[in-house]
């Protein structure tokens, strides 16, 4: 159906992007996720919105990848100046996190919608839970950006950066497990009606 591609793309764009070449991994991952969402849109219209969100995030990731490469070359003194200003990088960063929130919301909504139609109530609850946790993560992320001194002192007292990192990983893991549950439990009607018969296993059958 496409859940395999969506899972691979999401995991690549998030967990595998937590490194110095994060922009490149995000670009590849969201491209794969877009392909999976496009296939799934044939089964539920909500995945069409997720497809466009994936394309948008792939475009933003391309800009981030260029900025990462620019910074890397500058750090190794292969370039004598940065072609992307810090202010522009900050704007791109804000847009990226905003896009991630929208992507996550559409991901959970799309999964919840198709799970409702297929009677998979547990997956519906997983989608709602993951969205709530994601909202908490992005709320804490925004709090860390507010320059108010009192808020900054409060953030330091509760070790806010640590919680942000932990919740980031938690959101990625929970969403990946949710998508795997979708792959395992939600299938096309033609697959259900197909009589079982011996066949040669494929290394890519999970897609």
């Amino acid at each position: 159906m496409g859940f395999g591609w969506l899972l691979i793309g999401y995991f690549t764009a998030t967990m595998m992007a937590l490194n110095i070449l994060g922009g490149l991994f995000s670009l590849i991952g969201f491209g794969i996720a877009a392909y999976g969402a496009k296939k799934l849109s044939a089964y539920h219209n909500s995945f069409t919105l997720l497809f466009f969100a994936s394309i948008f995030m792939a475009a933003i990731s391309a800009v981030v990848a260029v900025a990462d490469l620019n910074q890397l070359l500058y750090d190794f003194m292969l370039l004598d100046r940065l072609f992307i200003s810090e202010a522009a990088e900050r704007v791109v960063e804000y847009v990226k996190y905003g896009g991630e929130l929208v992507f996550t919301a559409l991901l959970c909504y799309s999964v919840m919608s198709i799970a409702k139609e297929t009677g998979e109530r547990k997956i519906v609850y997983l989608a709602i839970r993951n969205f709530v946790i994601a909202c908490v993560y992005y709320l804490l992320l925004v709090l860390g950006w507010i320059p108010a001194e009192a808020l900054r002192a409060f953030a330091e007292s509760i070790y806010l950066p640590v919680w942000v990192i932990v919740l980031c990983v938690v959101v990625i893991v929970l969403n990946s497990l949710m998508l795997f549950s979708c792959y395992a439990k939600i299938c096309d009607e033609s697959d259900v009606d197909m009589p079982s018969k011996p066949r040669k296993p494929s290394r890519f059958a999970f897609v």
Side-chain angles (χ1 to χ4, degrees), residues 11 18 23-24 33 58 67 72-73 75 78 88 101 119 132 135 141 143 150 153-154 157 173-175 183 200-201:
F11 191 81
L18 300 177
L24 178 60
L72 188 63
L73 294 176
D75 291 340
L78 297 177
L101 174 58
V132 171
C135 287
L141 189 66
L143 288 178
F154 172 73
S157 68
V173 172
L174 290 180
N175 282 337
Y183 153 73
K200 182 180 179 181

Side-chain angles (χ1 to χ4, degrees), residues 2-158:
F3 280 116
W5 288 111
L6 189 56
L7 171 59
I8 294 171
Y10 176 79
F11 191 81
T12 303
T14 53
M15 186 66 78
M16 295 183 65
L18 300 177
N19 57 69
I20 193 173
L21 297 176
L24 178 60
F25 279 98
S26 292
L27 172 60
I28 297 172
F30 282 117
I32 297 174
Y35 176 72
K38 183 65 176 178
K39 294 188 66 175
L40 287 164
S41 65
Y43 302 94
H44 200 284
N45 291 333
S46 60
F47 286 96
T48 301
L49 295 175
L50 184 63
F51 167 75
F52 287 114
S54 301
I55 294 297
F56 175 79
M57 287 306 302
I60 293 298
S61 298
V63 177
V64 174
V66 172
D68 290 343
L69 179 61
N70 186 195
Q71 185 66 53
L72 188 63
L73 294 176
Y74 179 79
D75 291 340
F76 282 94
M77 294 182 290
L78 297 177
L79 291 176
D80 57 354
R81 65 187 179 91
L82 292 173
F83 294 98
I84 301 179
S85 66
E86 292 185 6
E89 286 188 1
R90 184 60 59 87
V91 171
V92 171
E93 182 182 16
Y94 290 154
V95 173
K96 184 191 76 169
Y97 283 119
E100 285 180 358
L101 174 58
V102 173
F103 176 88
T104 302
L106 290 175
L107 175 66
C108 293
Y109 171 73
S110 300
V111 167
M112 181 183 68
S113 299
I114 197 170
K116 278 184 177 179
E117 290 192 358
T118 55
E120 294 291 342
R121 304 300 301 178
K122 182 178 180 180
I123 296 180
V124 173
Y125 298 141
L126 292 179
I128 296 173
R129 179 202 63 186
N130 290 5
F131 176 69
V132 171
I133 296 176
C135 287
V136 174
Y137 161 65
Y138 285 104
L139 176 61
L140 294 180
L141 189 66
V142 171
L143 288 178
W145 289 343
I146 299 177
E149 289 296 330
L151 189 56
R152 182 174 300 175
F154 172 73
E156 292 178 356
S157 68
I158 63 171

